[in-house]
Amino acid sequence: MALWTVHGDGRRLGNDEVVRSDERLSWPLTVGLGLQHVVAMAGATILVPTLTGFPVSTTLLFSGVGTLLFLLITRNRVPSYLGASYAFVAPLVAAHNEGLAAQFGGVLFAGILLAVVGVAVKALGIRLVDSVMPPIVTGAVIVLIGLNLAPVAGREVSSGPWPAGITLVVIGLCAVLSKGLLVRLGVLAGVVVGWVVAALSGGLDAGRVAALGAAPWLGMPALHEPQLRPSVMLAVLPAVAVLTAQSVAYTKAVGGVIGRDLAGNVGDALIANGLATALSGAGGGAGLTPLGENVGVMAATKVYSTATCLAAALGAVVLSFSPKVAALVETLPAGVIGGMSIVLFGMVVMVGVRLWLDNDVNLADPLNLMVVGTAIVAGAGNVIVNVSWLRLNGIVVGSLLIVLGYPLLRTLRAIRQRRAALLADRPTDRPHQPRSRVDEAGVELD
């Protein structure tokens, strides 16, 4: 039995057509769309390893291998391409003095713990997740992720406004004025045009261009051995909470967009995400998760085919063995990445809002307003909290506020309401006065 059915003739798509997860386009188009995912993830694939000191090619390798593992464990039902997670940046930077081996061990430990959470969800049922992370919570996590990353895109745009503007205009024109496949490949088209314009105008970094020329075409990604240290293992615990929230929110959001109930796959998605992260940490790569860029690309293209994710994963693995390609990706100007990111992060925010609308979330409820609003502002404002040797960034703080704060306050409100109901039913201290009996005519009998 084929894994995918061909959507239509596999070559032509109407602007409003949606390619489901169990469908695919022709293989050349599928490969092109997969490449778009890899390009969209370039910001995280470069930035996260750079900030933590991890090798970029190794992270790219395990990004592809982890995605293949994810598709296998979720039985090809949840479209996803795993990229480097921003949630690990703060705890790993804080553990910099422990050495790279200990940092890799922290990623390995976090992945194992996330897989254990997934096993618990499968054993206890999806109700465990729904009770802790109802639609109001999952939607809020998605929104705050998009808003938290918005300043990053803003800084990148400010560093190169012309390439950013051109990239943004090309993506917008592809989305509004074009039709068919060009609409789906708008992000890739915008990045290519933005890069060409930057190259012709001298906007590429000279050092990176020189590194591109000197890089060999073929080379093995560097693999490293992890080391488990309790201090780093404790430091990554907040990242595990964030990855759990992101994975649950992502799975539910994709299910809502494609019109399929993926609640039963949440446990598998958590296990797959955890094992992919553990594998990455075991070899010297960054922690992995479905990223906002991934959601944004699928929302923009309306192509949710797991075949596209498979093509992206295989492409990432192949590219990781070419230092020349890694060097080419690093020449992308910040402005081009910023122009692309503004579109994709905006799509992420709207996916969270759509999740609220589709589930009829009552945003007039004072509890929803207070907790969700506080968490989103904390995430968007990138509130930094230092607890002893732990440093929690905005995504971690906002996610913990909503994931832990909402169930707690909801439980306290339920307790108060039950107590109020019991007090209302309690008999008063006044003596009981029996009611008089009357006949049908209204005459008192007693």
Side-chain angles (χ1 to χ4, degrees), residues 20-365:
R20 301 193 313 268
S21 58
D22 58 346
E23 297 179 322
R24 67 169 178 85
L25 300 174
S26 67
W27 284 115
L29 294 176
T30 297
V31 170
L33 290 165
L35 179 61
Q36 185 169 238
H37 276 287
V38 177
V39 172
M41 293 291 201
T45 305
I46 296 172
L47 183 59
V48 173
T50 300
L51 292 176
T52 56
F54 286 22
V56 175
S57 294
T58 308
T59 296
L60 182 61
L61 169 65
F62 286 106
S63 174
V65 173
T67 299
L68 295 175
L69 182 62
F70 185 95
L71 295 174
L72 178 64
I73 294 176
T74 58
R75 290 162 290 176
N76 208 37
R77 295 178 180 175
V78 183
S80 178
Y81 177 81
L82 303 184
S85 172
Y86 292 98
F88 284 93
V89 172
L92 292 181
V93 169
H96 178 72
N97 293 333
E98 299 284 349
L100 275 177
Q103 291 174 299
F104 298 144
V107 175
L108 170 62
F109 172 74
I112 294 174
L113 194 56
L114 182 61
V116 170
V117 173
V119 172
V121 170
K122 283 188 68 69
L124 300 177
I126 190 59
R127 291 184 180 180
L128 172 65
V129 174
D130 291 336
S131 62
V132 178
M133 298 188 65
I136 181 66
V137 172
T138 52
V141 170
I142 294 173
V143 170
L144 74 86
I145 289 172
L147 293 179
N148 176 269
L149 297 175
V152 177
R155 288 193 296 270
E156 292 171 337
V157 169
S158 299
S159 66
W162 280 109
I166 291 171
T167 302
L168 191 59
V169 168
V170 172
I171 295 175
L173 290 176
C174 288
V176 177
L177 300 182
S178 62
K179 59 182 180 179
L181 290 172
L182 188 56
V183 176
R184 319 299 172 122
L185 294 171
V187 175
L188 181 60
V191 170
V192 171
V193 172
W195 186 90
V196 170
V197 170
L200 294 177
S201 61
L204 301 183
D205 183 87
R208 293 184 176 181
V209 172
L212 172 62
W217 282 101
L218 295 176
M220 283 288 296
L223 299 180
H224 300 269
E225 185 177 346
Q227 185 180 65
L228 295 176
R229 291 189 183 177
S231 58
V232 183
M233 292 163 65
L234 291 173
V236 299
L237 287 178
V240 176
V242 175
L243 290 184
T244 302
Q246 287 180 345
S247 188
V248 172
Y250 172 86
T251 305
K252 288 187 174 182
V254 171
V257 172
I258 64 178
R260 294 181 60 183
D261 184 8
L262 296 179
N265 299 103
V266 169
D268 290 332
L270 288 169
I271 294 172
N273 196 352
L275 293 180
T277 295
L279 180 63
S280 181
L288 304 175
T289 191
L291 290 180
E293 294 91 327
N294 180 223
V295 180
V297 168
M298 289 196 293
T301 62
K302 298 180 183 177
V303 177
Y304 297 90
S305 171
T306 54
T308 301
C309 301
L310 174 67
L314 294 175
V317 171
V318 172
L319 295 178
S320 69
F321 285 89
S322 175
K324 180 76 74 176
V325 172
L328 175 63
V329 173
E330 291 186 21
T331 64
L332 281 174
V336 173
I337 296 177
M340 171 188 68
S341 298
I342 283 182
V343 176
L344 298 182
F345 296 158
M347 291 285 188
V348 173
V349 173
M350 297 313 296
V351 167
V353 173
R354 176 174 176 174
L355 188 63
W356 286 338
L357 296 176
D358 289 346
N359 289 275
D360 297 323
V361 171
N362 181 14
L363 295 179
D365 186 329

Side-chain angles (χ1 to χ4, degrees), residues 7-29:
H7 181 91
D9 62 3
R11 295 185 299 275
R12 288 181 292 271
L13 277 175
N15 289 352
D16 296 327
E17 288 186 64
V18 175
V19 180
R20 301 193 313 268
S21 58
D22 58 346
E23 297 179 322
R24 67 169 178 85
L25 300 174
S26 67
W27 284 115
L29 294 176

